[in-house]
Amino acid sequence: MVADNGDEPDDDINKLTLHVPETSHQISTDSWFQAGFVLTTGINSVFVLGYSGTIMVPLGWVGGVVGLLLATAVSLYANMLVAKLHEFDGKRHIRYRDLAGQIYGREAYYITWALQYVNLFMINIGYLILGGSALKAFYVLFNEEHTLKLPHFIAIEGVVCILFAISTPHLSSLRIWLGCSTVLSLIYIIVACVLATKDGLNAAPRDYTIHWTSTTSRIFSTIGASANLVFAFNTGMLPEIQATVRQPAVKNMLKALYFQFSVGVVPMYAVTFIGYWAYGSSTPTYLLNSATGPLWVKASANMSAFLQSVIALHIFASPAYEYLDTKFGIHGSALKLTNIAFRILARGSYLTISTLVSAMLPFLGDFESLTGALSTFPLTFILANHMFLMAKKNKLSSLQQSWHWLNVGFFALMSVAATVAGIRLIIVDSKEYHIFADV
């Protein structure tokens, strides 16, 4: 990768008129370590229990391992570019759309806003589906009749998320919950790794062949898996997380990113590779569904995955909450009656819609692919490289500028291809399963 200079704001760029609204949420209050834990919570969320099936199965050992390592490197690089622009042009940009609007103008402000909220909405859909799947897996351990189906558990997940959103006013108030999230993540990751290792040691040789029904299926599956790769590492809300970090915000955020992409990726790598090694091409999209072991161990892992998904969803829903709170002037104590009533109405409505969509179309892998295509590629790679190019072009050599343009072009093509693949997967699965399917 070509090294980039220019951590300091560039005063050569003409300022564009953009109103940056005040925020009702806290900023500049958290340490880099807390921000690192927020990022690590996202990367080791309950989604990690699906990567063996959604990344390794369609890509195989070589494609999956190389792809994950490359995705780690390019994701760290792209996020560093965004972090370095946080204080661009003498302003601290606490929202992704503010930064894009400052560099490109007001139209880009709204386009970026739309992309980001599509990204976060789709991520939240995934958390609701996975949380519901974990709760269902817990339920079937104790009930052989299976009276309740996946949509019922997604609905329960939605209700719990609403209660948590009402009681947790903003991102910085997650402090103790981040510790809880870490413990919960370790429980289901360790259990999944141990049980999968035991199953793998006791099983016959596995089939690691990549199975495709046609050349078309092979192409679209590979493209979809590449979108899952970038989905695994990126939040799409880095400026919002960086806004909570104390000064110096850029240096502290870079520390948080180094933590995320070093210590933070180890559990994710472990469960992804061990799961695929243990079950091969038959690995499911929810790893604990294949693991065998003591009932209480599997029950604790599934319940931990369910609870962690509630905390993780709140992180990715927080930009929407911040917008609503700021838009409607919500200030003062979080326990103020009018503020509680507003959270019940606004956040309850947002999560109710999300839950309904999740229950109607519970095709997890497809949503990961489409999210990566529609928003993760544009937000994390295309915009990051182009914004840095525009903001620092007077300080970049011709080689560095060519490098950023190459990234913009490559990831734009990947975004288009992955979008087509993601839509195709949802159409195919929608024909195979009815709405509110019990998958």
Side-chain angles (χ1 to χ4, degrees):
M1 294 179 182
V2 179
D4 289 305
N5 299 317
D7 291 358
E8 299 301 322
D10 188 347
D11 294 326
D12 296 332
I13 303 295
N14 291 326
K15 290 186 178 181
L16 299 176
T17 302
L18 175 69
H19 173 64
V20 181
E22 295 183 358
T23 177
S24 294
H25 290 195
Q26 292 183 2
I27 61 172
S28 302
T29 58
D30 302 339
S31 67
W32 71 264
F33 194 62
Q34 179 167 331
F37 263 95
V38 170
L39 293 168
T40 302
T41 294
I43 207 172
N44 289 298
S45 70
V46 67
F47 274 110
V48 299
L49 296 177
Y51 294 152
S52 297
T54 59
I55 292 175
M56 298 301 294
V57 169
L59 294 179
W61 275 119
V62 175
V65 173
V66 173
L68 276 170
L69 292 176
L70 286 175
T72 304
V74 298
S75 297
L76 171 60
Y77 178 71
N79 279 281
M80 287 173 62
L81 295 181
V82 176
K84 289 178 180 179
L85 293 175
H86 188 69
E87 296 178 343
F88 167 67
D89 211 12
K91 296 181 180 180
R92 186 170 183 182
H93 303 283
I94 64 173
R95 306 177 186 93
Y96 211 130
R97 61 186 183 272
D98 294 344
L99 177 59
Q102 180 71 16
I103 293 174
Y104 300 118
R106 198 154 188 81
E107 288 185 3
Y109 173 93
Y110 291 112
I111 293 172
T112 304
W113 191 7
L115 280 174
Q116 186 183 34
Y117 281 94
V118 167
N119 178 65
L120 299 177
F121 180 76
M122 298 290 276
I123 289 175
N124 290 336
I125 293 294
Y127 278 123
L128 288 163
I129 294 171
L130 267 176
S133 298
L135 194 59
K136 178 189 174 185
F138 177 87
Y139 166 78
V140 299
L141 291 173
F142 302 97
N143 190 306
E144 296 180 356
E145 296 182 0
H146 299 182
T147 306
L148 297 177
K149 306 301 181 184
L150 180 58
H152 298 113
F153 295 106
I154 292 175
I156 295 172
E157 164 88 358
V159 171
V160 175
C161 287
I162 290 172
L163 294 175
F164 189 78
I166 294 169
S167 62
T168 311
H170 46 71
L171 196 57
S172 292
S173 61
L174 278 174
R175 287 184 178 87
I176 190 171
W177 292 110
L178 292 175
C180 294
S181 175
T182 300
V183 172
L184 294 169
S185 296
L186 288 174
I187 290 173
Y188 60 71
I189 288 175
I190 291 173
V191 167
C193 288
V194 171
L195 295 185
T197 299
K198 178 183 68 68
D199 289 345
L201 292 172
N202 296 328
R206 270 78 67 198
D207 175 21
Y208 297 109
T209 306
I210 304 173
H211 298 283
W212 296 296
T213 57
S214 64
T215 302
T216 301
S217 175
R218 173 180 181 177
I219 294 172
F220 281 114
S221 295
T222 302
I223 293 173
S226 69
N228 292 341
L229 282 170
V230 299
F231 173 85
F233 294 101
N234 298 286
T235 63
M237 52 174 286
L238 192 75
E240 285 80 359
I241 295 174
Q242 192 168 1
T244 68
V245 177
R246 301 184 196 122
Q247 293 287 7
V250 172
K251 289 183 179 179
N252 282 333
M253 195 64 201
L254 290 177
K255 291 180 183 178
L257 288 171
Y258 298 148
F259 179 83
Q260 176 195 9
F261 285 96
S262 56
V263 178
V265 299
V266 172
M268 189 268 280
Y269 279 169
V271 72
T272 300
F273 295 147
I274 291 174
Y276 184 60
W277 166 80
Y279 306 111
S281 59
S282 62
T283 307
T285 56
Y286 183 66
L287 188 60
L288 291 174
N289 283 342
S290 287
T292 60
L295 184 145
W296 70 270
V297 173
K298 293 188 65 176
S300 64
N302 283 307
M303 184 54 64
S304 297
F306 163 69
L307 294 173
Q308 199 276 343
S309 69
V310 175
I311 300 172
L313 183 147
H314 188 81
I315 293 174
F316 290 94
S318 60
Y321 300 159
E322 187 274 337
Y323 166 74
L324 291 170
D325 291 349
T326 303
K327 176 72 173 179
F328 292 94
I330 302 302
H331 296 286
S333 172
L335 299 178
K336 188 178 178 181
L337 186 60
T338 54
N339 291 350
I340 294 175
F342 180 82
R343 291 201 297 275
I344 292 173
L345 177 62
R347 301 182 184 189
S349 299
Y350 173 80
L351 288 171
T352 298
I353 295 171
S354 301
T355 302
L356 180 61
V357 174
S358 303
M360 288 177 63
L361 300 170
F363 317 127
L364 177 63
D366 302 358
F367 278 105
E368 287 181 19
S369 299
L370 192 59
T371 302
L374 280 175
S375 47
T376 306
F377 274 127
L379 283 174
T380 305
F381 299 105
I382 300 173
L383 263 181
N385 277 277
H386 195 264
M387 285 193 303
F388 199 87
L389 181 65
M390 295 296 292
K392 309 291 184 180
K393 59 184 177 183
N394 294 333
K395 294 184 177 181
L396 300 177
S397 68
S398 58
L399 178 60
Q400 290 172 327
Q401 292 184 39
S402 298
W403 164 253
H404 287 294
W405 278 118
L406 178 64
N407 278 283
V408 169
F410 174 76
F411 287 112
L413 291 175
M414 286 295 297
S415 179
V416 172
T419 298
V420 174
I423 293 174
R424 175 185 175 275
L425 283 170
I426 290 180
I427 292 173
V428 169
D429 280 344
S430 295
K431 292 179 179 178
E432 183 177 351
Y433 301 104
H434 57 79
I435 61 172
F436 298 107
D438 183 36
V439 297

